[in-house]
Amino acid sequence: MTSVGTGYDLSNSVFSPDGRNFQVEYASKAVENGSTTVGLKCKDGVVFGVEKIITNKLLVPGKNRKIQTIERHIGCCYSGLIPDGKHLVNRGREEAINFKNTYGKPISVSAMSERLSQYVQAYTLYNSVRPFGISTIFGGVLKNENGGNDKPELFMLDPNGSCWGYKGIATGKGRQTAKAELEKLITSEIYDLSAFTARQAVQEVARILYLAHEDNKDKDFELELSWCSLSETDGLHKFVPKDIYEEAIEHAKIEVGLADSDDSDEDEDMEPEAEE
Amino acid sequence: MMTGQHGSQPIQHQFNPYSDNGGTLLGIAGEDFAILASDTRQSVDYSINTRLSHKIKAISPSLTAEFKAQNPKMIGTKNSILFGTNGFSADGDALTRQFEENWKWYVHDQNKSAMSMQSAARNVQHLLYGKRFFPYYVHTIICGLDEEGKGCLYSFDPVGSYEREQCRVGGAGASLIMPFLDNQVNFKNQYIPGTNSTERRKVDYLSLDECLKLVKDAFTSVTERHITVGDGLEIFIIDKNGVRCEYHDLKKD
Amino acid sequence: MNHDPYSWGRPSDSMYGEYNREIANAPTSMEQHTSSSNFNEHTTRPIVTGTSVVAIKYKTGVVIAADNLASYGSLLRFQGVERLHKVGKTTVVGISGDISDMQYLVKVLDQLSMDNNYDNDEYSDNVDELQPSYIFEYLSNLMYHRRSKMNPLWNALVVSGVDSKTGEPFLQYVNLLGVKYASPSIATGFGAHLAVPLLRRLADSEEQAAELTLEEAKKGIRDSMRVLFYRDTRSSKNYSLAIIDKDAGITYDNNVDVEDMSWKFAKDIKGYGTQKV
């Protein structure tokens, strides 16, 4: 690392002579090793998926949820330092409350993106604070009757405070594979935003996460899937129901060649509902 | 502000933070027991809000499985405090809740299983006097057993003045029942027959059955004569075995 | 000219007499608010109001109703105001009294259910749905707290519902003083005088309420709303009716009309109105 020892990497509020802020770049490093996280837009909503590496056999399967809800219609997942993410979600909830109190209707996803990115950006400015060690994917759909436009929105917010809208996006350890797959999907003919359903999106997200896990095969993992869709959840952010979840996992395993018959790859199918 | 000018003061409509929710509360301390009773009507003006409200709470250490198995009808141990309030019910509920919280903290902080009646009484005084200039509009009576196991009763006025007594009535029926209790419990104006009213009858403890009879008579009588008293009667009894509660119907008119 | 900035823009003493510096020292509205010599600006009466809420328990739930009118004194100010509010999955809160305070309460309740829901859907770690008893506890504390600050929310609330774990019907009341109670039937305002006698005829005790059928309960509420429309000048024909049942959940109709009225007696009343005697 070129920065180490130069002294320019010790504080937020100082640029290096070549115009970089090293603390923020280190924060991105924290993200690069985080768990793979995917967000994908569909016809009338968004789907989130997180790969949860099982770091400890003692953890209760299906518990310790990672995907969170910011507002009734906004879901959120992130990779990097988990407590940083929880803090950011709390801030998002406060912003949602504040917006509703001021304007009397729920906040749109884009307005939420503005507020969250301003907040994260502020943590790159002062030497007394450290930037957020997370990349955050959030999105949802605000119904017309609640003052929205029935259009799904999806964003990713980085530690430096930049926030972009996407059709599909991934972050964390397996992001290279996942992003390549997303690009393939989005340029293919299956992906027509006027027809691509939430259920299809769930299957694709599950498949992509299974593929992205291939490089990390020695570790067991669990999948977490949530969605926010006009047709499936009435615009609310919810976890994917058990039957659809299991179907998506089955489909994903077949796609990546992990079908049940070949049981050399043992317990890939840790389900959230599996008993403790 | 302007002074002395006629009509210069604006007429202020003030919010009245109190109401009178009626009802009567009665306690008697016996030799080795105490009872605390109240009607279950809650009213305001001429309306009956409900026929079943609870003005007394038994504050007890938690009951062990063994205790419950041996005494299925008991709702508290002998170390319980019967806490009764009467008057403005919102303040009564708030006071009960405050006291219960203090009781729990006391038990934890002092590493004890319960609070003595003496300490409880002083604590209630602090709660009441703490709101001396915005009082809890309630008459409070607490019952239990003292440190010698004797029946014990403390009664309080709304701002915390208190006294240990053998018996006390609070609330709407106080003026009707208290003289009756003076006569029947403390034997006031009772003289030995044949002494030409010169020798007073000596005070002595009443038995539990005698006390229960007095309580029921008192409540049926006051139900006849007072409109805010009636519907039901809850009698809490504490003795060396623990706390139990009886319910009797009163007239609902 | 006096070059002291303090004197800029002030009329000259020689022309108008000495400047009254008391004007500059007059309290701001904020100071007025805190100073004890000025009267307080807390609510001392309701402005736009909703009339009675009536409710009764039956075997497996609760029926609750409130009309859709908001009055401004004797003016029928707003029609189509909803006074029954769903909170969580098994609770309906009926609110009478000041409408602006009601709207504040609705905002508070919405936030309450959202706080409960963030990490608490059917899949998450600590499933603990909002029960009617939780909501009542919250509201009764809020009402008593506000009355103790001498700044009450000018309402009477009826919290109705079923406990989603035990299936037990729930019905409790709390008002601007923080006075609370439970009863098999509850009505606020005029309803306490006109509806409660009708409802107590159906169920005067919990035991009787546990025997009451939904149809009997509904009829009791319908009769109550009719009598209230006959006699309460601040009531409206149009009302909302909610049924909270342990099996069927919340059934909700916000457009019910008072039916089977009979005004026959009116033609014999002389001396009022426009008719010639």
Side-chain angles (χ1 to χ4, degrees):
Chain A
M1 289 210 192
T2 53
S3 53
V4 175
T6 60
Y8 292 108
D9 65 340
L10 299 176
S11 165
N12 249 331
S13 56
V14 176
F15 276 118
S16 79
D18 47 348
R20 297 160 63 187
N21 186 333
F22 287 113
Q23 276 298 313
V24 176
E25 291 183 23
Y26 297 161
S28 304
K29 286 269 176 239
V31 176
E32 283 172 20
N33 280 318
S35 48
T36 316
T37 306
V38 174
L40 178 59
K41 242 196 239 185
C42 62
K43 178 173 76 171
D44 61 354
V46 291
V47 171
F48 302 100
V50 182
E51 167 211 47
K52 289 199 296 188
I53 301 290
I54 297 166
T55 52
N56 188 332
K57 293 268 185 210
L58 300 175
L59 289 170
V60 181
K63 303 288 176 180
N64 305 306
R65 290 282 182 182
K66 268 191 165 175
I67 303 178
Q68 288 185 279
T69 302
I70 293 181
E71 238 275 32
R72 289 187 226 269
H73 63 288
I74 303 178
C76 179
C77 50
Y78 37 82
S79 50
L81 304 179
I82 302 300
D84 283 23
K86 298 230 155 151
H87 175 78
L88 189 65
V89 166
N90 274 339
R91 176 67 187 200
R93 289 169 180 175
E94 279 168 24
E95 293 289 0
I97 293 163
N98 168 273
F99 188 99
K100 206 191 278 171
N101 279 340
T102 316
Y103 301 110
K105 63 174 194 181
I107 192 170
S108 67
V109 187
S110 50
M112 176 59 74
S113 79
E114 291 294 326
R115 293 183 177 212
L116 285 184
S117 46
Q118 283 206 9
Y119 186 66
V120 167
Q121 193 271 150
Y123 278 71
T124 67
L125 294 173
Y126 307 99
N127 61 29
S128 54
V129 294
R130 133 182 109 62
F132 281 84
I134 45 164
S135 274
T136 312
I137 298 175
F138 61 94
V141 55
L142 183 55
K143 283 167 75 177
N144 214 352
E145 64 193 69
N146 293 333
N149 54 6
D150 282 348
K151 294 231 172 66
E153 295 183 283
L154 179 69
F155 293 91
M156 184 168 78
L157 168 57
D158 285 326
N160 61 14
S162 70
C163 188
W164 305 105
Y166 295 90
K167 290 176 178 168
I169 188 62
T171 179
K173 201 164 197 167
R175 68 193 175 286
Q176 305 287 10
T177 323
K179 278 202 277 195
E181 284 299 319
L182 282 167
E183 273 173 40
K184 251 193 267 172
L185 171 72
I186 283 165
T187 49
S188 75
E189 60 208 39
I190 321 170
Y191 193 79
D192 169 7
L193 251 193
S194 61
F196 189 63
T197 65
R199 283 169 193 246
Q200 278 178 292
V202 166
Q203 297 219 325
E204 293 300 332
V205 167
R207 181 180 67 80
I208 290 169
L209 280 167
Y210 263 84
L211 271 176
H213 183 70
E214 290 287 282
D215 307 331
N216 204 6
K217 252 185 153 174
D218 49 322
K219 296 204 175 97
D220 287 344
F221 79 109
E222 220 179 71
L223 257 196
E224 207 172 280
L225 294 171
S226 77
W227 58 3
C228 182
S229 142
L230 295 176
S231 55
E232 300 289 348
T233 65
D234 196 26
L236 302 175
H237 176 245
K238 290 191 164 167
F239 286 101
V240 173
K242 195 176 173 184
D243 51 333
I244 299 174
Y245 175 86
E246 278 168 1
E247 195 187 312
I249 302 282
E250 279 312 304
H251 172 260
K253 280 186 190 166
I254 294 166
E255 287 287 313
V256 298
L258 285 174
D260 275 350
S261 54
D262 115 273
D263 46 8
S264 58
D265 260 303
E266 8 56 46
D267 37 19
E268 224 77 25
D269 57 335
M270 300 284 290
E271 297 151 12
E273 286 72 31
E275 246 335 289
E276 37 242 70
Chain B
M1 296 218 44
M2 288 175 274
T3 50
Q5 284 168 267
H6 178 70
S8 65
Q9 291 290 330
I11 299 166
Q12 283 193 50
H13 294 270
Q14 255 268 335
F15 165 60
N16 175 196
Y18 295 113
S19 69
D20 178 2
N21 302 110
T24 292
L25 181 65
L26 187 167
I28 301 175
E31 183 167 19
D32 56 356
F33 66 89
I35 59 186
L36 188 55
S38 91
D39 66 325
T40 62
R41 174 176 294 180
Q42 192 207 86
S43 58
V44 68
D45 299 337
Y46 291 112
S47 297
I48 297 170
N49 287 340
T50 178
R51 300 195 192 282
L52 188 58
S53 68
H54 307 282
K55 303 188 187 82
I56 303 168
K57 178 151 197 194
I59 297 166
S60 165
S62 48
L63 305 180
T64 61
E66 189 191 358
F67 181 88
K68 280 189 211 164
Q70 282 169 3
N71 313 283
K73 290 208 172 126
M74 294 284 180
I75 56 169
T77 73
K78 66 177 177 23
N79 292 319
S80 304
I81 290 167
L82 304 177
F83 197 94
T85 56
N86 195 279
F88 173 42
S89 75
D91 276 349
D93 293 343
L95 182 70
T96 308
R97 190 128 107 190
Q98 288 272 343
F99 176 74
E100 200 180 358
E101 186 162 317
N102 286 351
W103 185 94
K104 282 181 180 159
W105 276 111
Y106 176 88
V107 163
H108 288 126
D109 288 345
Q110 308 301 324
N111 198 217
K112 286 185 173 160
S113 64
M115 193 189 259
S116 71
M117 282 300 289
Q118 199 187 344
S119 304
R122 178 57 68 88
N123 186 248
V124 174
Q125 171 174 66
H126 279 124
L127 287 172
L128 290 168
Y129 196 79
K131 271 172 69 68
R132 171 62 181 81
F133 299 107
F134 186 12
Y136 288 118
Y137 234 74
V138 286
H139 192 172
T140 310
I141 299 174
I142 63 172
C143 284
L145 301 177
D146 68 10
E147 273 151 335
E148 294 167 7
K150 289 207 157 51
C152 176
L153 177 154
Y154 286 89
S155 76
F156 303 78
D157 80 350
V159 290
S161 159
Y162 74 109
E163 183 178 17
R164 182 172 174 176
E165 296 179 288
Q166 281 313 114
C167 68
R168 172 58 66 182
V169 196
S175 57
L176 282 88
I177 307 180
M178 200 62 223
F180 169 68
L181 255 42
D182 284 340
N183 179 255
Q184 290 295 308
V185 179
N186 292 325
F187 299 161
K188 292 284 162 65
N189 298 99
Q190 288 202 47
Y191 297 92
I192 309 275
T195 64
N196 197 216
S197 296
T198 51
E199 206 176 321
R200 291 175 193 279
R201 180 176 168 195
K202 247 187 87 189
V203 283
D204 197 8
Y205 287 114
L206 298 179
S207 72
L208 177 59
D209 283 342
E210 286 170 316
C211 287
L212 287 173
K213 261 175 80 178
L214 282 182
V215 169
K216 288 175 212 164
D217 281 350
F219 273 95
T220 44
S221 308
V222 80
T223 298
E224 290 293 332
R225 283 289 183 176
H226 202 113
I227 55 167
T228 70
V229 180
D231 290 334
L233 170 62
E234 253 181 349
I235 310 174
F236 286 73
I237 303 140
I238 182 167
D239 60 20
K240 62 180 184 304
N241 300 311
V243 181
R244 61 187 190 278
C245 177
E246 286 181 6
Y247 175 86
H248 302 278
D249 275 331
L250 290 174
K251 282 170 72 173
K252 297 193 194 304
D253 58 1
Chain C
M1 163 151 183
N2 184 347
H3 290 276
D4 180 356
Y6 194 78
S7 308
W8 292 355
R10 299 243 161 97
S12 63
D13 292 355
S14 57
M15 191 80 97
Y16 297 101
E18 202 187 354
Y19 180 69
N20 179 1
R21 291 179 196 284
E22 286 306 305
I23 293 171
N25 294 328
T28 63
S29 65
M30 276 306 281
E31 286 163 348
Q32 246 173 35
H33 192 74
T34 47
S35 98
S36 56
S37 68
N38 291 288
F39 50 96
N40 70 46
E41 293 165 31
H42 292 161
T43 311
T44 53
R45 65 196 161 105
I47 309 292
V48 179
T49 57
T51 186
S52 321
V53 175
V54 296
I56 188 168
K57 280 190 196 175
Y58 66 96
K59 211 181 285 181
T60 56
V62 190
V63 184
I64 183 169
D67 70 25
N68 300 331
L69 174 70
S71 314
Y72 178 65
S74 58
L75 176 70
L76 311 186
R77 187 64 183 82
F78 303 108
Q79 282 167 296
V81 171
E82 190 51 66
R83 296 196 290 122
L84 299 183
H85 300 279
K86 194 180 156 204
V87 188
K89 286 183 184 146
T90 59
T91 310
V92 170
V93 182
I95 307 181
S96 59
D98 191 275
I99 295 294
S100 63
D101 285 346
M102 175 188 86
Q103 289 172 341
Y104 168 75
L105 282 166
V106 169
K107 199 166 86 173
V108 166
L109 288 170
D110 182 66
Q111 194 52 53
L112 188 74
S113 67
M114 207 152 87
D115 285 344
N116 175 259
N117 260 319
Y118 281 137
D119 295 301
N120 197 16
D121 66 71
E122 59 265 49
Y123 276 90
S124 58
D125 291 358
N126 315 296
V127 183
D128 192 5
E129 283 173 284
L130 277 185
Q131 304 297 353
S133 58
Y134 301 1
I135 292 162
F136 181 76
E137 190 70 18
Y138 182 90
L139 286 174
S140 59
N141 282 326
L142 176 64
M143 297 303 275
Y144 183 71
H145 178 75
R146 289 289 296 262
R147 91 97 218 186
S148 296
K149 288 202 301 187
M150 292 297 276
N151 185 198
L153 294 166
W154 215 283
N155 302 100
L157 317 177
V158 179
V159 179
S160 63
V162 287
D163 187 301
S164 64
K165 289 175 192 156
T166 64
E168 198 67 33
F170 182 95
L171 184 59
Q172 266 184 270
Y173 165 102
V174 63
N175 67 10
L176 73 166
L177 296 174
V179 169
K180 55 189 183 182
Y181 57 86
S183 185
S185 61
I186 286 176
T188 70
F190 246 101
H193 299 106
L194 296 178
V196 162
L198 300 175
L199 297 174
R200 285 200 181 146
R201 216 147 57 180
L202 297 176
D204 203 17
S205 65
E206 292 293 334
E207 292 75 24
Q208 286 170 293
E211 294 298 312
L212 205 62
T213 67
L214 172 58
E215 279 314 312
E216 290 168 324
K218 254 160 76 175
K219 181 172 182 303
I221 294 294
R222 276 200 294 263
D223 290 348
S224 299
M225 292 309 283
R226 182 170 55 241
V227 170
L228 282 167
F229 183 58
Y230 280 149
R231 285 295 175 182
D232 178 1
T233 55
R234 267 80 155 146
S235 67
S236 76
K237 196 151 91 175
N238 190 254
Y239 66 94
S240 296
L241 185 125
I243 301 156
I244 310 96
D245 187 88
K246 80 176 160 83
D247 305 312
I250 297 179
T251 338
Y252 186 65
D253 188 348
N254 61 5
N255 190 22
V256 189
D257 276 325
V258 172
E259 279 167 359
D260 306 325
M261 284 188 291
S262 168
W263 291 93
K264 270 186 282 182
F265 65 91
K267 74 175 171 33
D268 297 323
I269 297 176
K270 301 281 201 267
Y272 302 95
T274 55
Q275 87 279 46
K276 306 223 164 64
V277 182

